[in-house]
Amino acid sequence: MSEEVFRKAAEAINRAPLVVAVTGAGASVESGIPDFRSTGGLWSKYPPAEYATMDAFLDDPDKVWVMFYELGETILAAQPNPGHLALAKLEEFGKLQGIVTQNIDGLHQQAGNTVVIEYHGNVHNLGCSSCFRRRRMDLSFRAHGAPRCECGGYMKPSVVLFGEPIPPKPLMQADTLARTCNAMLIVGTSAQVYPAAGLPYAAKENGAFIIECNVEPTEFTHSITDAFLQGPAGENLPKLAQLVMAR
Ligand code: NAD
């Protein structure tokens, strides 16, 4: 890939008063958390219709918790990778005002970003599906299947399953950021999960410069992307951040 693309992207970030990143599963692949759609990803082991809908959870919580425990175990062992750290550096440098993440792993916060909108929730926080009680993910319950609340209801990670709405607060915050930013950095997302996939289009409508970092082209690439940084986020984001901070 030409150095010219990186230069264009860095200049756009430096020019922009408001820069927002939208991140997906690809941002955490180099931390050892598989994405869902690539070959060998999570969906090939846990088909979404069978595991990732509210109906599937209500029908058979023990079965769906097999996936939650595996995801929880992988996520609890993961650390931020150089891509996450580069985004944290950009915020520290005043060149990134917020991240909207579809990830449920908490790695952006762990890397040091302070404005992180979790669009699809967080696997670390559990909520009871019958009452208001909450608690933290605890892998030691694995042998007992789906964890129960003291009220008798089943606990569920506070993640948005297919068919569930995005909670209103992150939905509105993300929409506002997308509609007002001057540059958007899209990292490791397949552009297939709505409404998150609509955010870059909303940004483009507002005239934002779109930078995309992905190992392969997506539907954004040939429609709205202005600078496509093809390759792993853990390599390309540190390179981009260095160029931004060198100016
Ligand atoms: P996705 O699995 O649909 O797509 C991942 C994208 O990342 C693909 O376009 C792929 O080409 C790209 N990618 C893979 N490795 C990369 C790398 N090293 N650098 C840059 N790009 C890379 O993911 P999605 O678009 O986020 O949608 C899936 C849903 O699954 C999300 O809603 C998310 O909540 C959830 N999910 C979250 C995690 C997590 O929290 N880490 C992991 C898996 C899935």
Side-chain angles (χ1 to χ4, degrees), residues 59-79:
D59 278 355
D60 193 346
D62 289 325
K63 176 177 166 181
V64 172
W65 262 94
V66 173
M67 175 187 75
F68 286 149
Y69 281 128
E70 182 172 327
L71 201 56
E73 190 176 29
T74 309
I75 286 175
L76 284 169
Q79 292 298 319

Side-chain angles (χ1 to χ4, degrees), residues 178-245:
R179 288 185 188 285
T180 50
C181 69
N182 313 96
M184 180 175 275
L185 189 49
I186 314 170
V187 183
T189 179
S190 64
Q192 286 180 40
V193 181
Y194 277 84
L199 296 170
Y201 295 107
K204 186 72 178 183
E205 258 176 39
N206 183 49
F209 187 94
I210 308 290
I211 302 157
E212 186 182 10
C213 175
N214 199 309
V215 288
E216 57 187 37
T218 68
E219 277 174 32
F220 299 131
T221 314
H222 300 295
S223 56
I224 56 166
T225 297
D226 295 297
F228 183 48
L229 311 180
Q230 182 157 18
E235 289 174 24
N236 284 342
L237 291 183
K239 187 170 168 184
L240 178 65
Q242 215 170 18
L243 276 176
V244 169
M245 293 186 296

